[in-house]
């Protein structure tokens, strides 16, 4: 490889100039990679909010979307009817609805399904506990799901545990943008391996040690809704 030299400088000085340029570009590359990752995370968050809007069926369903926008710093001036005002009205009428769905299988397994970004956030920050299994449709906006074994009694058998996991995965697929697909990849991991990074947007998590199952999306018609 031939490298052109600046005649104003000696070969040694040319080499030093190239080396300084290399170090500068290397630093810029690291910065650019970080910004690219931040942009990808922000895009995923906004796509999740768009999915929540697509799933909204009433004005009440929009309040959590606005709350997530405000938590992310997008909330100023979104609407004159602020979420806190609606919250006060809801409190006057009665206790607000939970931001997640809660189901129980015939064998006693509990399955929690976030309704939106704020519900997903609530599952990670307040509901999940040691021993739970976390699930989410791979690479798609949608609900976080927690699977919890029946309390008390003997440890569930392997077959029962696998059946419960597949049922929870089917719910994760159903409550995602890919519900119209024949089969979806759903990631699952122990809850202890899932965390919300400092400064993350509502519903955003990082996880390790995940496995993946392929399941057809299925609703909760065969499950008992408990909350």
């Amino acid at each position: 490889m031939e490298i052109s030299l600046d005649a104003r400088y000696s070969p040694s000085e040319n080499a030093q100039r190239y080396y300084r340029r290399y170090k500068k570009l290397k630093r810029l590359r690291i910065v650019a990679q970080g910004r690219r990752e931040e942009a990808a995370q922000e895009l995923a968050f906004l796509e999740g909010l768009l999915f929540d809007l697509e799933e909204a069926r009433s004005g009440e369903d929009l309040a959590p979307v606005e709350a997530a926008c405000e938590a992310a710093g997008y909330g100023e001036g979104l609407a004159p009817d602020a979420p806190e005002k609606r919250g006060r009205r809801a409190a006057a009428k009665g206790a607000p609805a939970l931001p997640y769905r809660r189901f129980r299988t015939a064998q006693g397994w509990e399955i929690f399904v976030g309704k939106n970004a704020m519900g997903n956030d609530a599952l990670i920050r307040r509901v999940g506990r040691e021993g739970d299994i976390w699930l989410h449709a791979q690479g798609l906006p949608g609900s976080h799901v927690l699977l919890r074994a029946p309390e008390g009694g003997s440890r569930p058998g392997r077959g029962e545990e696998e059946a419960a996991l597949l049922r929870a995965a089917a719910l994760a697929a159903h409550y995602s943008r890919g519900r119209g697909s024949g089969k979806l990849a759903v990631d699952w991991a122990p809850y202890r391996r899932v965390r919300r990074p400092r400064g993350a947007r509502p519903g955003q998590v990082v996880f390790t040690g995940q496995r993946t199952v392929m399941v057809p999306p299925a609703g909760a018609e065969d499950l008992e809704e408990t909350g």
Side-chain angles (χ1 to χ4, degrees), residues 14-221:
N14 271 277
Q16 292 176 9
R17 285 166 58 85
Y18 273 114
Y19 184 66
R20 287 195 295 269
R21 184 181 178 190
Y22 155 75
K23 290 178 66 176
K24 180 179 179 180
L25 292 175
K26 185 177 180 180
R27 289 194 300 268
L28 290 176
R29 180 183 179 184
I30 294 173
V31 172
Q33 288 176 336
R35 291 181 177 175
R36 181 179 180 181
E37 291 174 2
E38 291 175 359
Q41 292 172 1
E42 196 69 9
L43 178 60
F45 171 69
L46 294 174
E47 287 180 342
L49 289 185
L50 177 60
F51 177 71
D52 290 346
L53 288 172
E54 293 169 352
E55 294 292 289
R57 295 295 178 264
S58 67
E60 190 176 310
D61 294 337
L62 298 178
V65 179
E66 291 186 19
C69 286
E70 288 191 347
Y74 292 113
E76 290 188 17
L78 270 180
D81 189 10
E84 58 266 26
K85 294 181 182 179
R86 281 194 297 274
R88 287 195 292 269
R89 289 201 300 268
K93 294 179 181 179
L98 290 173
Y100 52 84
R101 302 171 178 89
R102 188 174 182 177
F103 303 103
R104 188 186 303 274
T105 71
Q107 293 74 31
W109 291 76
E110 286 188 289
I111 305 175
F112 302 84
V113 181
K115 293 181 179 179
N116 43 57
M118 298 304 287
N120 290 340
D121 207 51
L123 291 185
I124 298 303
R125 302 180 78 171
R126 301 197 299 272
V127 178
R129 64 192 191 195
E130 182 71 22
D132 290 350
I133 295 175
W134 172 88
L135 306 96
H136 193 281
Q138 188 181 88
L140 292 170
S143 296
H144 290 220
V145 173
L146 289 178
L147 175 65
R148 181 171 297 167
E151 294 186 3
S154 59
R155 180 177 175 83
R158 182 174 179 82
E160 180 185 326
E161 188 172 2
E162 289 181 355
L165 177 66
L166 291 175
R167 191 65 192 86
L171 282 176
H174 177 76
Y175 289 104
S176 77
R177 184 170 279 164
R179 71 163 58 99
S181 304
K183 277 193 174 184
L184 283 181
V186 174
D187 290 330
W188 66 273
Y191 171 73
R192 68 178 183 276
R193 292 185 173 271
V194 181
R195 65 180 180 87
R196 184 182 191 266
R198 184 185 299 274
R201 303 308 197 197
Q204 289 190 319
V205 299
V206 294
F207 51 94
T208 58
Q210 72 273 17
R211 299 183 183 181
T212 304
V213 294
M214 298 294 298
V215 293
E221 296 79 8

